[in-house]
Amino acid sequence: MSKYIRNISMNRNKNNTNGVFSISNEKVFYKQLNDLDYARELEGYDILKKYYDVVDQYASMDRNIILYEYDNNIHKNNGLLVDYFAVNNRLAIDYVNILKKYKDVFDKTIKYNKKGNCRMFFEERINTRLKNNTTNKLFIELDGKILDFNNNKVKIENRKIHQEIIKYFSSEKNTWNIISNADPNDMNIGLDGKLFDYTAGGYVPLMCEFAVFTCYNLIQAEYLSLKYNKKAFKEHKKIYKCINKVYVSKDRVKHIPRNIRIDAVLNYIDIVIAPIIKRINYDNWYDDFKNYLAMKILAVYDFNKMSKKDIILSITFLSIFYNEKITSLSELKRLIKNIYGVKE
């Protein structure tokens, strides 16, 4: 059999082992997961395939291994949204069409119920990643400081934010959910809109999806992720040409994402979120949004492995959103434009 089966690549990370092998030159993508995530992956895939383009699932087998079709459109610096952003400075119609696909699915699936597997990124990180970062020395020292973020004064209230996050995620409650994979980042979506990650898939709070998308595009996609999740980009390194500059001196922080990333968020608001919000009763949406945003900042990367500059950037970014009392999407758009100097 060794004549016909060849291992091409393998990646080991915290959550799973994955890679590619070929059988008589036919490539197959595989994932090996722990018991819980294996069950979640199968469940998420079965839900998502009803609404999104996904790769074929060939088999699930012993030792928690799942085999998938290998998408031949994806290769070095090609095939994923990360590759789109690596070579473009302005959004084009093909990206807008992907957003419209999301809007159509959200329209069909929005429901007031309990969330699904996306808990793995939020509630299940309260006592691990969140606790680790909120006991970080710099996180504690910055509490009460006044910092300047892109010429906007920001009061740092880390202790208050931490307490509110714990309170927010301490009880299970119904909210407005849509069906998605809960992690709409550039590495999980193909240029044709196909989804490639299913473990957290299912019913996802609308504001969770919105907060993840916003946080990823403004601060992670072309900065934090490139610095602290390098393994994910090893076949898509062209995006490193777009890595943002960050300046921190005394009490001043400067970070401006590329215009295309800001436009991605503003278009997401107009195309995906606004039409949904308009037709449902959802007065407290910003409270949900800011708490999911907080977890994306405080429960993803390990502060103990980050530079002082990047911790300060993360905390000021979070605070400027968390401190606001936003009541409309137009106010949120105005805040984003003001933070990054975008002219109306």
Side-chain angles (χ1 to χ4, degrees):
M1 290 295 291
S2 61
K3 291 182 179 179
Y4 306 103
I5 300 177
R6 183 168 62 91
N7 184 55
I8 297 175
S9 67
M10 182 177 71
N11 303 305
R12 295 183 188 273
N13 56 49
K14 292 181 180 179
N15 302 315
N16 63 71
T17 298
N18 62 74
V20 179
F21 67 88
S22 66
I23 302 176
S24 297
N25 296 320
E26 185 71 25
K27 291 181 179 179
V28 177
F29 179 79
Y30 69 89
K31 292 179 79 171
Q32 184 175 32
L33 306 104
N34 61 44
D35 291 345
L36 180 57
D37 286 350
Y38 176 73
R40 285 170 165 167
E41 177 92 3
L42 294 175
E43 179 186 13
Y45 179 85
D46 284 343
I47 295 172
L48 292 170
K49 72 180 182 181
K50 298 174 185 176
Y51 300 98
Y52 295 91
D53 292 331
V54 296
V55 293
D56 288 340
Q57 187 181 96
Y58 291 150
S60 55
M61 50 208 299
D62 291 344
R63 298 177 66 182
N64 296 348
I65 295 172
I66 305 175
L67 305 182
Y68 289 106
E69 167 195 12
Y70 181 85
D71 190 326
N72 287 299
N73 292 319
I74 299 173
H75 47 88
K76 192 169 184 178
N77 291 314
N78 191 73
L80 296 175
L81 279 187
V82 66
D83 307 307
Y84 175 89
F85 281 101
V87 297
N88 286 284
N89 290 315
R90 297 181 64 182
L91 294 181
I93 190 64
D94 45 359
Y95 185 82
V96 171
N97 287 338
I98 291 175
L99 294 185
K100 288 180 178 178
K101 285 184 181 181
Y102 271 85
K103 189 264 181 184
D104 290 343
V105 175
F106 291 5
D107 254 339
K108 292 174 185 176
T109 62
I110 190 159
K111 188 175 182 179
Y112 194 75
N113 62 357
K114 287 183 169 57
K115 72 186 78 170
N117 291 337
C118 64
R119 291 182 185 86
M120 62 186 288
F121 292 146
F122 300 97
E123 284 87 346
E124 293 178 18
R125 291 181 175 182
I126 293 289
N127 294 319
T128 53
R129 300 192 190 191
L130 180 68
K131 183 177 180 180
N132 177 67
N133 284 343
T134 54
T135 55
N136 175 272
K137 182 180 178 181
L138 186 56
F139 182 86
I140 296 169
E141 289 178 351
L142 285 172
D143 191 41
K145 303 286 187 183
I146 304 291
L147 300 180
D148 182 294
F149 184 66
N150 294 342
N151 298 318
N152 296 274
K153 294 297 180 185
V154 186
K155 185 177 182 180
I156 307 300
E157 298 181 292
N158 287 338
R159 185 180 176 204
K160 178 184 175 183
I161 291 174
H162 181 210
Q163 290 172 341
E164 290 192 17
I165 294 169
I166 296 297
K167 181 179 179 181
Y168 179 85
F169 287 103
S170 64
S171 61
E172 178 72 25
K173 54 185 179 292
N174 286 359
T175 188
W176 287 106
N177 292 288
I178 42 80
I179 288 179
S180 186
N181 77 336
D183 194 11
N185 75 63
D186 300 345
M187 299 297 293
N188 290 337
I189 306 172
L191 291 174
D192 56 359
K194 188 176 292 181
L195 294 187
F196 294 101
D197 188 65
Y198 317 115
T199 312
Y203 274 104
V204 177
L206 178 64
M207 287 302 114
C208 166
E209 187 82 5
F210 182 21
V212 171
F213 184 90
T214 300
C215 187
Y216 183 78
N217 277 282
L218 295 183
I219 195 172
Q220 293 176 337
E222 293 179 2
Y223 189 67
L224 292 177
S225 293
L226 299 187
K227 292 188 70 174
Y228 300 106
N229 192 22
K230 292 181 180 180
K231 284 185 178 180
F233 300 92
K234 71 177 187 178
E235 294 298 319
H236 302 272
K237 290 185 177 180
K238 192 175 286 188
I239 191 65
Y240 278 90
K241 294 181 180 179
C242 304
I243 192 166
N244 301 159
K245 300 292 184 182
V246 174
Y247 303 96
V248 175
S249 60
K250 293 185 179 179
D251 60 350
R252 299 178 69 85
V253 180
K254 184 176 181 181
H255 167 246
I256 307 291
R258 286 194 301 150
N259 286 339
I260 190 173
R261 292 292 183 173
I262 299 170
D263 287 344
V265 174
L266 297 177
N267 273 268
Y268 188 87
I269 292 173
D270 289 341
I271 296 170
V272 182
I273 300 298
I276 303 292
I277 291 285
K278 189 175 182 179
R279 70 181 185 87
I280 60 176
N281 182 19
Y282 197 175
D283 293 335
N284 65 332
W285 65 269
Y286 194 74
D287 188 53
D288 294 338
F289 173 86
K290 72 178 187 179
N291 280 288
Y292 280 107
L293 185 78
M295 285 295 287
K296 285 302 294 181
I297 291 296
L298 299 177
V300 176
Y301 306 116
D302 185 349
F303 280 10
N304 294 321
K305 296 179 180 178
M306 290 170 63
S307 69
K308 180 178 179 179
K309 176 179 73 172
D310 294 342
I311 296 173
I312 294 172
L313 166 67
S314 299
I315 289 171
T316 51
F317 173 86
L318 169 59
S319 295
I320 204 166
F321 282 97
Y322 206 93
N323 293 350
E324 293 292 323
K325 298 186 183 300
I326 299 290
T327 60
S328 69
L329 290 171
S330 60
E331 288 179 30
L332 178 57
K333 287 176 64 177
R334 204 155 39 240
L335 174 64
I336 292 170
K337 291 178 180 180
N338 182 60
I339 292 170
Y340 297 116
V342 177
K343 294 182 179 180
E344 294 284 352

